Amino acid sequence: MKSSRNARKSIALLLAGAALIGVLTSCQSEPEIPELEVIQLSVELPTDGNPLPRGTFTPPAEPVWTEHGGYSREVNDEFVGWISVGEGRSNQVDYPVVQKTLASYLAEGIPLSHFYYLNREFEPSKHHQHSDRGTIFVDRHTPIDGVQRPDNTVIYGHNMARNRVKFNFLVNYRYEFLDTYREFPTVHFATVYDEFDDPRNTYLIFAGMLAHTRDVDGPVFDYHRRRIFNEYCCWGYDNAKDNFFDFIGNVMNRSSFYTDVDIEFGDEFITLSTCDYPLGRDRVSSRFVLFARRLRPGESLDKFDFNAAYENPDPLYFDRWYADSRTPQSEWGGMTWDTALVRDFDEWLANNPDWDPQVPNICNFACDAPNCPRP
């Protein structure tokens, strides 16, 4: 190594973790076993052997609010927001959201094969106790600190039909779509760094898909890794817009419904992931994933016709789905959604004639470009 690099050395840490963290939501009372994969993360280590880089994290902003619904940051300083959907329903989503960041995992020496809030209560005093219900949590790789927020905030929660808690309500958008969407077309997600009642904490639901998590069942679309679109090198593209259009195109082709919500590069998104096993938990590891975009500055809900939403009779599924005799489709019929809903998508598609959502791109963790992603 050149002498100019002696002050700091770059190492590749092979982190055994379930980057498919969206697969960690259980429909049963027992927790689901994470599916492990090897993740490569480039970390700069000082020569003194300190396991964390110094001076690389921006100090967080001060929270605007610190408690809601009986939950407080004084009890748990990893309380980063609140999410609500389905107000008034018996199994509505109305919960605190927490986040233990990657930096916290490393600083506290927590194995990255563990998912801190998967089976832990909100209160730190109860963290040594097992909890089937867990706590709704944000992906650990993109910190919410008031200074930055991801282009796409990925949030996970359990689907437990027996107890009707956490994200159980979300699967209504798959099985009772029209009635559910027309009554509840939006999600409210406020971070502690936003005014709680700010209209921009409203997110417009525009897609929902059944996703599988194992290559044995067909090529996997890694929706949970699409957090920051300018981390384009990972997906084989040379600009952030390509990454964005690839993500949105994959989502729309797989969506089991369509709305009149328009999408454009620069929008902010949230992705809500929970388990759903229509082919049987012991046969295919699958998830239902709901996508919503944030209300733009000055935008009003009045511009949308939520009654115009309709179900997609032929979403793009996965190989095992088409091979199963119990499913109605034996193959995908092709793209049918209104591409005009995504600004400039048609132009992008024309410039990428070989793009195939049936074979989603695999992230290249070995890339060495400046914008290499956090896996």
Side-chain angles (χ1 to χ4, degrees):
M1 183 177 291
K2 296 181 180 180
S3 58
S4 62
R5 298 181 182 176
N6 287 339
R8 299 173 68 87
K9 53 184 178 180
S10 178
I11 66 170
L13 300 178
L14 293 180
L15 306 178
L20 294 180
I21 196 167
V23 308
L24 304 179
T25 49
S26 173
C27 291
Q28 306 293 332
S29 60
E30 297 181 358
E32 187 166 319
I33 299 175
E35 298 165 18
L36 301 182
E37 65 177 24
V38 174
I39 300 173
Q40 181 170 311
L41 175 65
S42 178
V43 178
E44 291 289 321
L45 294 186
T47 54
D48 62 6
N50 191 314
L52 278 177
R54 294 174 178 172
T56 59
F57 301 106
T58 304
E62 290 296 319
V64 176
W65 52 276
T66 59
E67 59 183 8
H68 184 78
Y71 296 85
S72 171
R73 281 179 64 89
E74 291 186 4
V75 174
N76 186 343
D77 61 6
E78 292 175 332
F79 178 21
V80 296
W82 194 275
I83 189 166
S84 302
V85 59
E87 182 178 0
R89 290 287 189 95
S90 61
N91 60 336
Q92 74 178 77
V93 174
D94 193 31
Y95 298 112
V97 179
V98 294
Q99 182 184 42
K100 180 170 283 295
T101 65
L102 180 59
S104 296
Y105 273 80
L106 296 174
E108 298 174 24
I110 299 172
L112 294 185
S113 58
H114 293 181
F115 300 92
Y116 200 74
Y117 287 105
L118 177 64
N119 299 113
R120 297 174 189 263
E121 293 284 356
F122 177 91
E123 297 83 356
S125 63
K126 297 182 180 180
H127 281 178
H128 65 285
Q129 299 175 1
H130 175 86
S131 167
D132 289 342
R133 297 192 303 176
T135 307
I136 291 177
F137 59 99
V138 177
D139 179 278
R140 64 193 174 202
H141 294 282
T142 46
I144 294 176
D145 58 16
V147 175
Q148 59 183 343
R149 61 191 298 161
D151 300 319
N152 179 29
T153 301
V154 186
I155 306 176
Y156 310 94
H158 284 291
N159 171 9
M160 303 174 67
R162 185 188 68 178
N163 295 328
R164 288 188 174 273
V165 296
K166 307 308 179 189
F167 274 1
N168 174 263
F169 180 78
L170 299 186
V171 296
N172 290 325
Y173 290 94
R174 171 169 166 78
Y175 297 104
E176 301 174 11
F177 167 67
L178 289 177
D179 289 341
T180 304
Y181 179 79
R182 288 170 180 172
E183 187 174 1
F184 306 109
T186 64
V187 175
H188 181 269
F189 174 59
T191 77
V192 296
Y193 304 100
D194 305 312
E195 293 291 344
F196 191 87
D197 294 324
D198 187 331
R200 290 209 63 214
N201 294 332
T202 300
Y203 289 75
L204 304 153
I205 296 170
F206 68 89
M209 70 179 187
L210 183 71
H212 70 296
T213 67
R214 298 172 181 169
D215 290 332
V216 67
D217 298 317
V220 175
F221 169 47
D222 291 330
Y223 65 91
H224 59 288
R225 288 186 181 146
R226 304 301 187 94
R227 312 173 192 104
I228 298 179
F229 298 130
N230 68 5
E231 295 175 334
Y232 48 79
C233 73
C234 175
W235 307 100
Y237 298 116
D238 58 7
N239 66 71
K241 278 192 173 182
D242 282 338
N243 192 13
F244 165 76
F245 286 126
D246 178 73
F247 168 74
I248 290 297
N250 272 285
V251 168
M252 296 297 283
N253 280 302
R254 288 168 169 78
S255 183
S256 60
F257 61 84
Y258 295 124
T259 74
D260 72 338
V261 176
D262 61 307
I263 305 294
E264 62 183 37
F265 181 72
D267 284 336
E268 292 182 41
F269 302 91
I270 55 172
T271 294
L272 311 181
S273 180
T274 194
C275 72
D276 184 27
Y277 301 116
L279 296 184
R281 178 175 179 170
D282 59 336
R283 292 171 58 85
V284 178
S285 175
S286 54
R287 306 292 173 266
F288 181 69
V289 191
L290 200 65
F291 301 88
R293 79 152 171 86
R294 195 178 189 188
L295 205 64
R296 298 169 188 149
E299 190 174 43
S300 170
L301 293 179
D302 295 338
K303 67 174 280 192
F304 302 101
D305 180 6
F306 298 122
N307 290 321
Y310 62 98
E311 296 186 65
N312 176 14
D314 187 21
L316 173 56
Y317 288 111
F318 40 90
D319 294 351
R320 181 62 66 86
W321 176 275
Y322 295 119
D324 195 298
S325 61
R326 297 170 298 174
T327 55
Q329 300 95 345
S330 59
E331 62 180 0
W332 183 46
M335 185 164 59
T336 59
W337 57 279
D338 182 5
T339 54
L341 287 171
V342 181
R343 184 176 180 180
D344 297 331
F345 184 83
D346 285 329
E347 180 181 352
W348 180 83
L349 200 59
N351 292 330
N352 292 271
D354 296 329
W355 179 74
D356 184 359
Q358 296 182 91
V359 187
N361 290 335
I362 303 299
C363 182
N364 176 20
F365 289 125
C367 69
D368 56 4
N371 286 330
C372 269
R374 294 177 291 274

